[in-house]
Amino acid sequence: MGSGARSTKAGEYGDQHLWTAPPRPNLALHPFVEFVGFLYRWLPPSLPRMITSNLPALSSVNFQNFTGFSTGFAAILGLLQSSFGMCCYDAPAHMTEELKNASREAPKAIIMSAYIGAVTGLVFLIVVCFCIGDVSSTTQSKTGVPLIQIFYDSTQSTVGTCFLSSLIVVIAIVGANAILAEGSRSLYAFARDHGLPFSSLVARVEPKRQVPIYAILLTCAVQVALNSIYFGTLTGFNTVISIATEGYYLSYAMPLLSRILARLTGHAKVLQGPYTLGRYGIAMNVMGLAFLVFTSITFNFPTLSPVDSGNMNYTSAAIGIIGLISIVTWITTGQKAFTGPHIGGGGTVVDVLRNHVDSVAS
């Protein structure tokens, strides 16, 4: 977001930022001890035997394929779930106007979220794999959610199962609020730069709280509408998940492609900042782009065979419709009204690009 109208007072909450606040281990120790004590009281004595009984099975390869496709293709299809968990790392970039020392703290938050998510996610998945019982009975659980069945088999307690399941609900709620925050700021940025219909309304900032109220409300309404699809059709909801994941990955791929093309054509400029990949930057960009292109193509494949109208993946059609709407919007209003974010010197990105094109042409 540019240096024009601000969604909030810049740096107002900077001292409370996760990466600048001083650590307080003495305050965090007591809840941690209580949580460990809770697990000790609720986990049954049979849990160690359950884990050790799965060691021989996990030490050997036991690949179960229920997709109807070949084993290799089924493994590729499995990338969708893990790729969905690797989205939204760019969220701090959309909140930079509300961070103190954003040029350092926002990249740090992006990298640390990846590290923390990788470590905690890996530990959680390993524990779940060791605690799972019979795969068929777990997937066909009467609860409708295999993970809840794993919790019950591990604790042998309804109360313990409800507590562990509620933790996932809490994580989902917190994650939804975070996505709402960063999504509304992205929507506000587009509206502020005249890139959306009704931009003047969406870009309004509430004077007292200094937040984009209308952008938040619109983002929340869209979020609720998309989540409601789950009550009507599971296929439609899975398509929404695929669209969201592919949309994120395409948005990550575009700047990488631009940077690579700039290096190949000799138009790359040195981007000043506190962090740099140095001489490894171009290699990392190529690797990242290759992965993003591969997974973006994979997201369009159906996950079951034979394919019918019920299990068809409609992601490609939906992406095509979104792309068509974007092109029409750009032709009719966008190219005339969109200015891009303001940068140093009081100009806009569009102005800088036009001046650069004119200078090259002359």
Side-chain angles (χ1 to χ4, degrees):
M1 296 170 65
S3 59
R6 304 278 181 175
S7 61
T8 62
K9 297 177 181 178
E12 181 178 4
Y13 306 106
D15 293 337
Q16 300 176 10
H17 187 246
L18 178 60
W19 312 114
T20 57
R24 296 170 180 170
N26 57 326
L27 298 180
L29 178 61
H30 180 67
F32 177 75
V33 173
E34 288 292 327
F35 179 71
V36 172
F38 172 85
L39 293 180
Y40 178 80
R41 289 193 297 269
W42 283 107
L43 293 182
S46 59
L47 181 59
R49 292 194 300 270
M50 180 186 301
I51 295 177
T52 54
S53 65
N54 282 333
L55 286 175
L58 291 175
S59 63
S60 59
V61 178
N62 184 20
F63 191 92
Q64 300 188 32
N65 181 7
F66 303 102
T67 65
F69 294 106
S70 64
T71 300
F73 190 72
I76 294 176
L77 292 176
L79 291 174
L80 176 60
Q81 295 298 326
S82 58
S83 297
F84 180 70
M86 295 173 63
C87 291
C88 303
Y89 292 142
D90 60 316
H94 304 301
M95 308 293 294
T96 51
E97 292 189 359
E98 302 170 44
L99 295 179
K100 186 177 181 180
N101 195 13
S103 62
R104 295 188 62 88
E105 303 306 331
K108 192 185 301 182
I110 294 175
I111 297 299
M112 289 303 298
S113 63
Y115 287 160
I116 295 174
V119 173
T120 57
L122 180 63
V123 172
F124 177 78
L125 290 176
I126 291 177
V127 172
V128 169
C129 289
F130 274 98
C131 292
I132 192 173
D134 181 69
V135 176
S136 299
S137 60
T138 301
T139 56
Q140 299 173 5
S141 170
K142 295 180 179 179
T143 64
V145 181
L147 186 59
I148 295 180
Q149 185 64 44
I150 295 175
F151 287 158
Y152 182 77
D153 294 339
S154 301
T155 62
Q156 295 296 310
S157 167
T158 303
V159 176
T161 302
C162 291
F163 176 81
L164 294 176
S165 301
S166 65
L167 294 179
I168 299 179
V169 177
V170 171
I171 293 174
I173 293 175
V174 173
N177 288 333
I179 293 176
L180 175 63
E182 64 96 5
S184 63
R185 269 56 175 190
S186 300
L187 187 65
Y188 161 77
F190 276 110
R192 179 202 58 197
D193 301 330
H194 310 289
L196 294 175
F198 309 103
S199 292
S200 59
L201 176 63
V202 179
R204 290 183 184 177
V205 177
E206 202 275 328
K208 183 178 180 180
R209 297 178 178 83
Q210 289 293 298
V211 293
I213 294 294
Y214 292 101
I216 294 175
L217 293 177
L218 180 57
T219 304
C220 182
V222 172
Q223 204 172 36
V224 171
L226 293 177
N227 288 333
S228 299
I229 297 177
Y230 182 83
F231 297 102
T233 167
L234 180 60
T235 301
F237 181 76
N238 290 334
T239 300
V240 171
I241 298 298
S242 298
I243 294 173
T245 307
E246 183 164 355
Y248 275 115
Y249 275 41
L250 290 177
S251 68
Y252 301 156
M254 290 178 186
L256 290 180
L257 177 61
S258 300
R259 190 64 178 168
I260 293 173
L261 292 178
R263 291 288 296 270
L264 294 177
T265 58
H267 293 90
K269 297 182 181 297
V270 178
L271 303 178
Q272 300 295 336
Y275 304 105
T276 177
L277 294 175
R279 59 181 179 177
Y280 302 105
I282 184 65
M284 301 298 291
N285 290 340
V286 171
M287 292 174 57
L289 181 62
F291 173 77
L292 293 171
V293 171
F294 176 77
T295 51
S296 295
I297 295 174
T298 304
F299 296 154
N300 296 278
F301 294 146
T303 57
L304 295 175
S305 179
V307 181
D308 54 34
S309 59
N311 57 32
M312 177 60 184
N313 190 338
Y314 298 97
T315 303
S316 57
I319 291 291
I321 294 175
I322 295 174
L324 180 61
I325 295 175
S326 301
I327 293 175
V328 172
T329 303
W330 172 255
I331 294 176
T332 55
T333 60
Q335 61 179 343
K336 300 176 183 178
F338 181 69
T339 61
H342 292 265
I343 58 178
T348 66
V349 171
V350 175
D351 295 332
V352 173
L353 292 176
R354 287 174 178 170
N355 293 335
H356 176 70
V357 172
D358 293 340
S359 63
V360 173
S362 58

